[in-house]
Amino acid sequence: MKKLIAIALSLVMVICAVSVFVACDNASVELVAIDAADLLKEDFGIAVKKGDTELMAMVNAVIDEWVADGTMTKYVDYYDALAKGETPSTDGLQVSWDFGDATEVLTVYTESGFAPFEFLSNGEVIGVDIAIMSEVAERNNLKMEVKDVAFDTITTCVKGHSGKAVGAAGITINDERKQEVDFSSIYYSSTLVVVSAKDKSISSVKDLSGLTVGVQEGTSGDLIISAAKTAKGHSYTDYDADGNEITKTVTVDATTEVKQYKQYALALADLKAGRIDAILMDKLPAQTMLAASEN
């Protein structure tokens, strides 16, 4: 069974790509987001200030309920369509929340350039993460305040906050971040992709060797390509001929350049202009970004 699953996953990775044509110096360049076997699967969670078991229970109550009954998937689909410039039906979803006369503040740290999880609409940060935390606040008589900050500062902001605080920004749960914050239940699982011009056929971290790679500072893409530049390399899970999990390592040449950005939109602009060769980022935000850039 494991072998069949591994084969199926490999086929999906080969055929799964999203493409879009963009204008670049008056030439038509097709950009694609391609799954890569040597990239990882990652789980998103809400980062909660360490030791705040009461707030953690509030957050998990919403996440566990929405994941179990399919509401989370509906919110992902709704905000994905909205970020692409479409006009989706709410399909019974609550998309506005009333915090009434609540006085206790719940501070939500996010970074608004990661649609559909958070993005700007009419000057307001909206998205899946914001919906989760809005529901948490409304249910528990809290007043929510959203702070749009640099992604790589979010866990530090949560850790240093004196009141109730969370980080809600499509944050991957990992051991390094667990040293600063506690994590909620998993609300979304993602894979990373390589975004590049189609004619470059970049389908793995190994293919990035010697190229200039754009990443958002502090994200999994940043950590992966930076690790791949070291002697230790980037480790990932693969499967042997019998379908058993094995760990492999990939490295890239020291000439590989990692260009860090505060927002993916800036990386996309440089990719279109030919200033970088590829972007490493999560699959759904990559698809949403490319689709939105086409409109």
Side-chain angles (χ1 to χ4, degrees), residues 172-189:
T172 300
I173 301 170
N174 63 29
D175 291 338
E176 182 180 354
R177 289 173 180 147
K178 284 180 180 179
Q179 295 178 19
E180 290 196 309
V181 295
D182 293 329
F183 277 101
S184 70
S185 300
I186 296 165
Y187 64 91
Y188 189 83
S189 294

Side-chain angles (χ1 to χ4, degrees), residues 4-234:
L4 290 174
I5 293 173
I7 293 172
L9 287 173
S10 296
L11 288 172
V12 170
M13 280 191 260
V14 169
I15 65 174
C16 185
V18 60
S19 62
V20 63
F21 287 94
V22 297
C24 178
D25 295 328
N26 298 318
S28 185
V29 177
E30 187 176 8
L31 297 181
V32 292
I34 302 178
D35 289 344
D38 52 4
L39 286 173
L40 52 75
K41 174 184 175 182
E42 55 183 9
D43 298 320
F44 292 169
I46 302 296
V48 179
K49 187 176 178 181
K50 268 193 170 298
D52 194 337
T53 56
E54 180 185 36
L55 180 55
M56 180 66 79
M58 295 175 185
V59 173
N60 281 338
V62 172
I63 289 176
D64 293 346
E65 177 186 316
W66 283 10
V67 169
D69 67 12
T71 299
M72 193 69 73
T73 299
K74 290 182 179 179
Y75 272 114
V76 171
D77 292 343
Y78 172 78
Y79 285 111
D80 183 45
L82 201 63
K84 290 175 179 175
E86 301 169 7
T87 308
S89 167
T90 59
D91 191 24
L93 293 176
Q94 182 176 351
V95 293
S96 63
W97 289 262
D98 182 3
F99 307 126
D101 57 358
T103 56
E104 186 176 7
V105 175
L106 169 60
T107 302
V108 178
Y109 292 99
T110 192
E111 190 281 307
S112 61
F114 197 60
F117 296 96
E118 39 272 326
F119 57 101
L120 290 172
S121 177
N122 297 320
E124 179 184 4
V125 183
I126 63 173
V128 178
D129 284 312
I130 305 305
I132 293 170
M133 294 315 304
S134 295
E135 182 72 13
V136 170
E138 186 179 78
R139 287 189 187 186
N140 296 282
N141 194 33
L142 298 170
K143 178 183 178 181
M144 188 178 76
E145 291 186 356
V146 176
K147 292 188 179 294
D148 191 0
V149 300
F151 180 84
D152 60 320
T153 68
I154 290 176
T155 55
T156 302
C157 288
V158 173
K159 179 182 178 180
H161 197 277
S162 59
K164 289 192 177 301
V166 302
I171 302 174
T172 300
I173 301 170
N174 63 29
D175 291 338
E176 182 180 354
R177 289 173 180 147
K178 284 180 180 179
Q179 295 178 19
E180 290 196 309
V181 295
D182 293 329
F183 277 101
S184 70
S185 300
I186 296 165
Y187 64 91
Y188 189 83
S189 294
S190 177
T191 55
L192 278 88
V193 294
V194 182
V195 180
S196 67
K198 186 176 181 180
D199 59 7
K200 287 185 179 294
S201 299
I202 302 174
S203 59
S204 70
V205 173
K206 185 177 180 180
D207 290 341
L208 295 169
S209 188
L211 302 181
T212 301
V213 185
V215 294
Q216 185 179 47
E217 189 173 1
T219 61
S220 295
D222 187 7
L223 300 177
I224 287 170
I225 192 63
S226 297
K229 286 188 64 175
T230 67
K232 184 178 179 180
H234 158 61

